[in-house]
Amino acid sequence: LTNILRGLNASAKKHVLFTASFAIRLTLVAYGDYQDRTMVVKYTDIDYHVFTDAARFITEGQSPYNRSTYRYTPLLAWLLTPNIYLSMVFGKILFIVCDVLSGLLIYRILRLRGLGSETARRVCSLWLLNPLPMGVSSRGNAESILAALVLVTLLCIEARHLIWAAIFYGLSVHMKIYPVTYALPIALTLRTFETRSEENYKRWRWRRFIGFMGSFLNRELFLFASVAGGVFFMLTALFYYMYGWEFLHETYLYHLTRRDIRHNFSPYFYMLYLTTDSRWSQWLGLLAFLPQLILLLVASWAFYSDLAFCCFLHTAIFVSFNKVCTSQYFLWYLCLLPLVIPHLSLSLKQGVGLLLLWFVGQGIWLGPAYFLEFEGYNTFLLIWLAGLLFLIINSSILIQIVAHYKPTQTSQRLKVE
Amino acid sequence: MYFVLIYALACLSTCHCHFIEKGKNENHCGLLKQWLKSSLVSVEIVKEGFHREVVTTVELSPDVLSDVRVLLVHRWPRGVFVDPYQLASLSDQSDWQILLDSAIDLEVPAHKTVGFVTYVYPSPDGPTPRLLKVTIPIHGRYHEPSFVELLLRTEKCTQLNNKEPYTAVVAPCTPDNSSTCQWVKLQHQQERGAMGVQFPVGDGSLVRPVCGGTLLVTVLCCVALSKHMWKHRIIKQ
């Protein structure tokens, strides 16, 4: 009887958590509406107005790219057409629903990886009761849709529903480019794994290499690649047919060749600003890709067997070493952090210390940035140095996470003395 | 703004040229010119940083009739821009409306674009007050001076003779850009000192240390992170 009661209690607690987190977000949306109507400083983010204007163009039968600075997939504008037909607040409701859904997906993934219900609930409350995703979604940013898509992909792979995983993966790459970096660890996970025996090891190097390449040719990986690729190319072809070259440019090419010379968290910002018109700018841009690429390759190879951790590292590295970095991007890896936390052997004090360090790094950057943008002081040098410091802080935090990560029992960590 | 010009233009769709009406017409056009001469325009730039506000104050002379329409023309350099979406939301709360002469690219740097012209219509639907104050939010690209022109028109002044120092200029009648009218402008009014806005720019002489420093730090972080990731890599059993 006590077991049943304990079980009921856990389920009830779970429902309370999810209901409360949805209710808080709903309250924020209502408050945001009030602030928009009454105060000069608006609560709603400018991006939300961009989405709504693009949706309005679609309802009039035109291209959403008529709205300048709309640089997303047309799918998002299509999703938000009820903003025009029903109410302006529909999009925000959709985003907070995806937010809470992400929390549910985190819970399911943690349970699937063997965590107890109590611990799983506590960990996913780090996302559900976290003010950052609450604020971002209630202000009208669409990041939570992508967080939900990435998490559902991970859940499906974890549960070995590969076709669904491939569909959601194709969809998430269509919406934003950065999940394409997960392709390598996913491929490494799905390939045929051969246990290394002594005689295999003694074979010639090129035979081992051929064996390695051959391990990629298996049914599961082929299925995943073709379904994901099919979904992605079908969507691309459909929207190219509907909106032409502009769709390709605004959704993908702009982000790949983006050189935002205005100040942002990236360590490369000042270098790119000063060299905008020089003949070295192309080479420097390519050079800036190298650390990102090298780190992503190393991370894939080192951690592919723990896909959630690998994806977290991938995204954190991608964002920290990117040529453009704004605070919206942080949500891309923060949604994967709850999957990593249960396996970290950091003490609470160490964990909170790292978190504070991260915030301090942002604060040191935000100070001179405010003075540049709103007071007109020439603080470019300080912003540059703060950007470099933020990169160093991010790298240190990632090193600490990697050093204290204890994977689940099915894998074993290699420690080189 | 290095000089302020005043325009007043008249517009009438049908033109019946009776002698008496002609006399009245000239009287009204003469009045326009008089009012232009006696009106005061001042411009002030407030706030700091890349987001400023240009406050234009117009004080029309006391004997100006209420059916006179006012148009303020600002010629902006390529170093600043206005945000059409911000202006659209502002126009709900203010009593003036603005018309832009070209589409504005919000993100292009100054040397890759050209200047633009804005037409501000204070109180387009009601009688023109004597004291007008228009605040336009602008955002910086680089700094260069701009200047403003004041134009006036009234329905009653139909035919304007282009006698120096007054000129007739064609500009849109109302903010919806449905038709153009003649407005009167005063040329070569008092010269005003150049008005400039300063925006901070990056220090180009630091290119080498900045590039060197950035690449050094990113490479060091990359090496450190790679080393630790490889050291703690997971081997599948």
Side-chain angles (χ1 to χ4, degrees):
Chain A
L1 189 68
T2 43
N3 281 343
I4 297 171
L5 278 174
R6 234 180 260 142
L8 266 178
N9 246 349
S11 172
K13 279 186 197 164
K14 198 178 93 182
H15 286 145
V16 165
L17 176 64
F18 283 99
T19 318
S21 58
F22 185 71
I24 298 174
R25 285 165 170 81
L26 212 56
T27 317
L28 281 174
V29 169
Y31 169 74
D33 188 53
Y34 166 76
Q35 181 168 330
D36 282 350
R37 275 184 286 113
T38 53
M39 301 186 207
V40 176
V41 176
K42 306 291 175 203
Y43 184 83
T44 305
D45 195 45
I46 188 97
D47 275 347
Y48 194 66
H49 295 295
V50 174
F51 301 154
T52 311
D53 290 343
R56 190 172 295 118
F57 278 118
I58 286 189
T59 58
E60 291 164 7
Q62 297 172 43
S63 162
Y65 298 105
N66 286 351
R67 194 349 174 147
S68 71
T69 73
Y70 182 76
R71 298 217 163 86
Y72 315 96
T73 161
L75 199 60
L76 185 59
W78 275 96
L79 271 175
L80 257 53
T81 43
N83 263 21
I84 314 295
Y85 293 128
L86 289 177
S87 159
M88 258 286 270
V89 87
F90 171 80
K92 286 189 185 175
I93 306 282
L94 177 67
F95 298 152
I96 63 176
V97 163
C98 285
D99 218 14
V100 177
L101 181 65
S102 304
L104 180 65
L105 291 165
I106 291 172
Y107 179 83
R108 294 295 301 272
I109 294 176
L110 288 171
R111 295 286 276 135
L112 214 60
R113 283 155 70 98
L115 238 67
S117 144
E118 175 85 18
T119 325
R121 203 186 58 245
R122 286 219 185 103
V123 170
C124 84
S125 65
L126 287 175
W127 173 261
L128 288 169
L129 301 177
N130 189 335
L132 188 60
M134 273 188 204
V136 165
S137 296
S138 60
R139 287 188 72 210
N141 288 110
E143 308 300 330
S144 59
I145 295 185
L146 201 62
L149 281 174
V150 165
L151 284 166
V152 81
T153 309
L154 283 176
L155 179 64
C156 290
I157 292 183
E158 201 80 33
R160 299 315 263 199
H161 297 312
L162 288 180
I163 298 187
W164 279 112
I167 293 174
F168 287 121
Y169 182 66
L171 195 56
S172 53
V173 175
H174 170 80
M175 291 207 81
K176 279 236 157 76
I177 305 179
Y178 81 86
V180 82
T181 61
Y182 302 161
L184 185 55
I186 290 178
L188 286 169
T189 308
L190 291 178
R191 69 190 173 115
T192 346
F193 186 80
E194 281 171 19
T195 44
R196 244 190 227 155
S197 59
E198 275 301 313
E199 52 180 275
N200 277 352
Y201 204 79
K202 280 183 187 150
R203 281 195 190 163
W204 291 348
R205 261 201 200 144
W206 68 269
R207 285 197 87 158
R208 277 199 347 249
F209 178 72
I210 289 187
F212 171 71
M213 295 306 280
S215 68
F216 283 99
L217 301 169
N218 77 344
R219 185 182 157 271
E220 288 180 328
L221 186 54
F222 186 71
L223 189 67
F224 187 91
S226 43
V227 172
V231 167
F232 178 75
F233 283 113
M234 248 172 39
L235 284 170
T236 308
L238 171 71
F239 289 124
Y240 182 73
Y241 173 71
M242 285 170 77
Y243 302 116
W245 170 253
E246 214 179 4
F247 150 69
L248 281 178
H249 179 258
E250 299 283 359
T251 314
Y252 300 121
L253 295 174
Y254 167 79
H255 295 284
L256 288 172
T257 60
R258 178 176 183 177
R259 271 149 205 294
D260 208 334
I261 58 170
R262 290 169 297 173
H263 54 287
N264 60 87
F265 284 114
S266 168
Y268 298 109
F269 124 78
Y270 200 29
M271 181 180 90
L272 293 174
Y273 171 33
L274 291 180
T275 57
T276 329
D277 291 320
S278 90
R279 58 205 173 105
W280 300 108
S281 78
Q282 296 274 41
W283 295 109
L284 282 172
L286 266 135
L287 209 60
F289 259 130
L290 278 181
Q292 233 177 357
L293 187 63
I294 292 171
L295 283 170
L296 289 177
L297 286 172
V298 172
S300 303
W301 188 249
F303 298 110
Y304 69 85
S305 50
D306 188 337
L307 200 58
F309 184 56
C310 195
C311 291
F312 167 76
L313 278 182
H314 262 244
T315 315
I317 288 168
F318 182 85
V319 169
S320 306
F321 284 83
N322 203 27
K323 294 204 281 281
V324 172
C325 176
T326 69
S327 50
Q328 264 178 309
Y329 296 4
F330 297 157
L331 239 77
W332 298 350
Y333 60 83
L334 283 179
C335 66
L336 296 173
L337 187 59
L339 301 175
V340 169
I341 283 181
H343 301 286
L344 286 179
S345 63
L346 290 167
S347 70
L348 186 65
K349 210 168 84 172
Q350 283 173 309
V352 170
L354 286 178
L355 187 69
L356 276 175
L357 189 63
W358 189 68
F359 279 116
V360 161
Q362 285 181 63
I364 293 179
W365 187 92
L366 286 168
Y370 169 80
F371 279 102
L372 173 71
E373 186 161 357
F374 295 106
E375 301 291 337
Y377 290 102
N378 193 328
T379 50
F380 278 110
L381 215 55
L382 285 174
I383 294 179
W384 171 61
L385 290 172
L388 292 182
L389 180 66
F390 192 52
L391 177 67
I392 293 171
I393 287 177
N394 277 333
S395 305
S396 314
I397 293 177
L398 285 176
I399 287 174
Q400 288 298 307
I401 289 179
V402 162
H404 288 93
Y405 187 75
K406 285 197 308 214
T408 44
Q409 281 106 352
T410 49
S411 329
Q412 206 178 58
R413 268 265 289 285
L414 175 79
K415 242 192 165 155
V416 176
E417 294 300 331
Chain B
M1 327 307 147
Y2 51 92
F3 56 86
V4 173
L5 310 174
I6 300 184
Y7 285 82
L9 298 164
C11 167
L12 199 67
S13 49
T14 56
C15 180
H16 298 285
C17 300
H18 294 293
F19 184 76
I20 301 163
E21 281 196 14
K22 200 175 175 190
K24 265 196 200 156
N25 176 44
E26 271 186 18
N27 197 19
H28 289 297
C29 295
L31 277 176
L32 271 184
K33 294 176 186 173
Q34 219 177 326
W35 296 329
L36 264 178
K37 246 175 128 173
S38 52
S39 299
L40 293 169
V41 180
S42 66
V43 182
E44 194 193 343
I45 303 179
V46 296
K47 284 189 164 174
E48 301 296 331
F50 278 81
H51 311 286
R52 311 281 183 114
E53 282 177 357
V54 174
V55 183
T56 311
T57 313
V58 178
E59 204 179 317
L60 297 170
S61 72
D63 51 343
V64 165
L65 297 175
S66 58
D67 63 345
V68 160
R69 306 252 58 95
V70 173
L71 169 62
L72 285 168
V73 179
H74 290 78
R75 293 183 199 284
W76 302 98
R78 53 194 188 168
V80 297
F81 66 97
V82 289
D83 186 343
Y85 302 102
Q86 184 188 23
L87 293 173
S89 69
L90 268 180
S91 67
D92 297 335
Q93 298 160 7
S94 54
D95 62 351
W96 50 267
Q97 286 188 40
I98 191 164
L99 178 66
L100 305 172
D101 76 325
S102 52
I104 295 189
D105 187 327
L106 303 177
E107 295 167 334
V108 68
H111 54 283
K112 299 218 170 107
T113 185
V114 295
F116 61 100
V117 179
T118 57
Y119 301 94
V120 177
Y121 298 84
S123 318
D125 304 316
T128 310
R130 211 175 68 79
L131 185 65
L132 305 160
K133 199 168 177 188
V134 171
T135 305
I136 304 175
I138 60 168
H139 308 279
R141 300 202 226 249
Y142 284 75
H143 68 277
E144 269 177 61
S146 64
F147 71 93
V148 66
E149 302 165 348
L150 175 66
L151 299 86
L152 294 178
R153 76 171 174 95
T154 174
E155 303 278 325
K156 297 180 191 138
C157 171
T158 53
Q159 277 180 318
L160 204 66
N161 50 348
N162 267 345
K163 245 184 177 171
E164 285 283 318
Y166 301 98
T167 18
V169 169
V170 173
C173 304
T174 49
D176 59 13
N177 205 9
S178 51
S179 55
T180 51
C181 304
Q182 274 207 320
W183 297 74
V184 164
K185 131 177 162 173
L186 178 69
Q187 274 181 326
H188 310 307
Q189 239 208 355
Q190 70 248 61
E191 284 258 350
R192 283 177 174 267
M195 195 172 261
V197 191
Q198 279 196 323
F199 295 116
V201 291
D203 190 349
S205 65
L206 294 174
V207 166
R208 279 170 213 263
V210 166
C211 289
T214 309
L215 291 172
L216 181 71
V217 170
T218 43
V219 164
L220 284 176
C221 287
C222 174
V223 165
L225 200 50
S226 302
K227 192 182 112 188
H228 279 88
M229 285 199 296
W230 192 250
K231 181 174 157 193
H232 295 285
R233 69 186 186 278
I234 302 173
I235 300 280
K236 216 173 180 178
Q237 288 295 309

